[in-house]
Amino acid sequence: MNLDRLRSQLVLLSLFALIFFAWWFLAGGTLMADAYQGRSWPLLNKLLARPDRHPLDFYLDKMQALVSFSLVLWSAFTLTAALALSRLRRPAAGSDWRDYAIFAVYAAAFAYLLVQVGSEQKWYVIDKIMTYQGTPPFQHRVLFIFPAQLLQYVMPQLSAIECFLWSQLLAVVLALWAVRRFASLFIRSDLAFIGQFLALCMWAPTLTYYTFYDIGIIFVYAFCLYHLMRRELLPYLAMLVVGTFNHEITLFLIVASAVVYLGNMSLRSLAALLALQLLLYGLVRMLLFYLLPAHQAWEGGKLAFNLHLLLHQTRGLVYNLGPLLLWYGLAATGWRHAPSFLRRCTLILPCLLVMTTLVGQFNEARQFDAFIPVAMALMLCSLGARIGALAGPVPDAGTGAWRSGRLLKSHP
């Protein structure tokens, strides 16, 4: 791998990007105004010369949001690539101040996108959610409501939205921390920050309206899969309980544990583990229904809604799910380099697909946020194999022997 060539390409790409963003902020609005009046390039005229549909400000706001979105991700990419190239010039080493700096960059990017892209919707009104008045199933997804309530109690001058955003910053910090630990199983530990960048990029297009739980799902899944794959069951079970207060989708972690350990644990032990998980999950769900009574566990009519989307709104589905499918295509390149336990965890995706078909909505890519840690890990397997930076010995639930609660063999 020619690091000097990669660095030159990065500098060239960054220069082109800088020129484009500078041009847009200086002259992009004028170009769009000319196109709106049919006085620009033919392609732009065809796209924008429709004053009868939307006012000019509508298109300017949309383009400004898109450029700002791209600028944030590109800046994060440039810093990520620069740090990765610097680290690849040396043997693997421990963390230094740059790890904390890039962590802060990613957290700031998460927060900026959340504020600028996300919005409050009438079916998820934050102040009502904070008083447990949301409709099912929202009222049972309460984990990150607690810090928001605590903050509002300590600082009553803050609005519900401000308390919500601070609670989500906590979720972001936890998610980035858990994602980095999980990433370190698949790529050199001093390059594990790349996993944080990939998680940011996969999450960003799924952002639509404010929820207390979506970022928390990434945290819970990354944390649980890390300990599940290391066969550290106590922290895994503890987070399974805690995570169920965030979202009932933790049910699919139980499925993941079954396929990861099938054939690698005695059937009696596996049955006991699954029974314990189902018991803990069931107790949390029963407690939530007892404390916050609800007449149903999910919204009905979603199957008919999704069939309508598939038959009559295909273009909208492609627009909403297209970025996610591109990331999944990249993740697929890591399949042959991935350890067996990670391959087994891809079963989470069809579980999410079935769930979305029956009780979710295909026009919301955030329905698949739980798969972000697995897709990220697959991409790191592919990248690590190509640049010769795979992780050191990785515990593999598919082979090996036990010692001190951990499996010792590396992945093949």
Side-chain angles (χ1 to χ4, degrees), residues 148-398:
Q149 290 174 321
L150 177 61
L151 182 60
Q152 194 168 54
Y153 177 79
V154 174
M155 304 180 69
Q157 70 273 22
L158 294 180
S159 67
I161 289 291
E162 289 171 325
C163 293
F164 162 79
L165 292 173
W166 281 109
S167 78
Q168 292 309 287
L169 183 59
L170 172 62
V172 164
V173 169
L174 291 172
L176 288 173
W177 168 74
V179 162
R180 182 182 176 106
R181 288 206 313 162
F182 188 50
S184 68
L185 296 178
F186 309 100
I187 198 167
R188 243 171 58 178
S189 60
D190 61 334
L191 298 175
F193 63 89
I194 299 174
Q196 296 171 316
F197 171 71
L198 293 174
L200 167 64
C201 290
M202 282 187 282
W203 166 82
T206 72
L207 176 59
T208 52
Y209 62 91
Y210 290 152
T211 71
F212 273 101
Y213 49 84
D214 281 335
I215 300 173
I217 289 173
I218 302 173
F219 159 58
V220 170
Y221 264 71
F223 182 99
C224 284
L225 290 175
Y226 173 81
H227 289 286
L228 186 68
M229 293 178 182
R230 293 171 62 90
R231 222 157 183 176
E232 297 168 347
L233 295 181
L234 185 59
Y236 164 74
L237 290 171
M239 186 54 68
L240 179 70
V241 170
V242 172
T244 304
F245 285 98
N246 180 68
H247 199 294
E248 62 276 8
I249 205 173
T250 48
L251 181 64
F252 299 146
L253 284 167
I254 303 176
V255 176
S257 71
V259 297
V260 165
Y261 293 146
L262 183 63
N264 308 293
M265 179 185 287
S266 71
L267 290 179
R268 178 177 296 181
S269 297
L270 181 57
L273 175 61
L274 294 178
L276 177 59
Q277 292 179 81
L278 289 170
L279 174 63
L280 293 172
Y281 179 86
L283 289 174
V284 173
R285 299 294 291 146
M286 290 173 59
L287 179 63
L288 286 169
F289 274 98
Y290 176 77
L291 296 176
L292 300 170
H295 64 280
Q296 60 187 31
W298 55 79
E299 292 181 289
K302 296 300 185 180
L303 180 58
F305 178 84
N306 286 320
L307 288 175
H308 175 79
L309 289 178
L310 290 170
L311 295 175
H312 304 291
Q313 297 185 24
T314 308
R315 180 180 298 180
L317 282 180
V318 172
Y319 174 80
N320 286 300
L321 299 179
L324 206 59
L325 295 176
L326 291 176
W327 285 115
Y328 289 172
L330 288 175
T333 65
W335 177 267
R336 66 191 184 96
H337 305 291
S340 63
F341 61 74
L342 181 59
R343 295 178 187 176
R344 294 185 182 204
C345 285
T346 58
L347 184 63
I348 292 171
L349 183 57
C351 289
L352 293 171
L353 186 63
V354 172
M355 177 206 69
T356 303
T357 302
L358 298 178
V359 299
Q361 296 182 189
F362 276 119
N363 60 333
E364 295 184 354
R366 63 185 189 82
Q367 303 278 349
F368 299 92
D369 280 353
F371 194 66
I372 285 177
V374 178
M376 174 272 297
L378 286 169
M379 283 185 271
L380 289 182
C381 288
S382 177
L383 178 63
R386 283 168 170 73
I387 64 177
L390 285 170
V394 179
D396 191 333

Side-chain angles (χ1 to χ4, degrees), residues 22-259:
W23 168 83
W24 165 255
F25 288 114
L26 291 173
T30 302
L31 177 64
M32 290 194 67
D34 289 342
Y36 188 76
Q37 300 298 329
R39 299 195 303 264
S40 184
W41 300 328
L43 179 60
L44 286 178
N45 293 341
K46 185 177 180 180
L47 290 173
L48 297 177
R50 300 177 181 179
D52 57 315
R53 294 186 60 181
H54 297 289
L56 175 60
D57 286 345
F58 172 85
Y59 295 106
L60 289 175
D61 290 343
K62 290 288 186 183
M63 192 62 184
Q64 183 70 26
L66 178 60
V67 172
S68 298
F69 180 90
S70 303
L71 178 58
V72 169
L73 293 184
W74 180 261
S75 300
F77 165 76
T78 301
L79 293 172
T80 301
L83 181 55
L85 289 174
S86 173
R87 293 271 172 91
L88 284 170
R89 291 181 175 276
R90 68 179 194 187
S95 300
D96 58 34
W97 67 269
R98 290 177 295 179
D99 291 279
Y100 300 101
I102 201 74
F103 187 102
V105 168
Y106 297 145
F110 262 97
Y112 176 84
L113 294 175
L114 187 66
V115 171
Q116 295 298 319
V117 180
S119 61
E120 184 180 40
Q121 298 296 329
K122 61 182 180 180
W123 57 87
Y124 197 93
V125 180
I126 298 299
D127 56 355
K128 289 185 177 180
I129 295 294
M130 287 180 61
T131 55
Y132 307 111
Q133 299 179 45
T135 57
F138 300 135
Q139 69 187 94
H140 287 168
R141 300 168 184 175
V142 297
L143 181 61
F144 285 96
I145 295 177
F146 300 148
Q149 290 174 321
L150 177 61
L151 182 60
Q152 194 168 54
Y153 177 79
V154 174
M155 304 180 69
Q157 70 273 22
L158 294 180
S159 67
I161 289 291
E162 289 171 325
C163 293
F164 162 79
L165 292 173
W166 281 109
S167 78
Q168 292 309 287
L169 183 59
L170 172 62
V172 164
V173 169
L174 291 172
L176 288 173
W177 168 74
V179 162
R180 182 182 176 106
R181 288 206 313 162
F182 188 50
S184 68
L185 296 178
F186 309 100
I187 198 167
R188 243 171 58 178
S189 60
D190 61 334
L191 298 175
F193 63 89
I194 299 174
Q196 296 171 316
F197 171 71
L198 293 174
L200 167 64
C201 290
M202 282 187 282
W203 166 82
T206 72
L207 176 59
T208 52
Y209 62 91
Y210 290 152
T211 71
F212 273 101
Y213 49 84
D214 281 335
I215 300 173
I217 289 173
I218 302 173
F219 159 58
V220 170
Y221 264 71
F223 182 99
C224 284
L225 290 175
Y226 173 81
H227 289 286
L228 186 68
M229 293 178 182
R230 293 171 62 90
R231 222 157 183 176
E232 297 168 347
L233 295 181
L234 185 59
Y236 164 74
L237 290 171
M239 186 54 68
L240 179 70
V241 170
V242 172
T244 304
F245 285 98
N246 180 68
H247 199 294
E248 62 276 8
I249 205 173
T250 48
L251 181 64
F252 299 146
L253 284 167
I254 303 176
V255 176
S257 71
V259 297

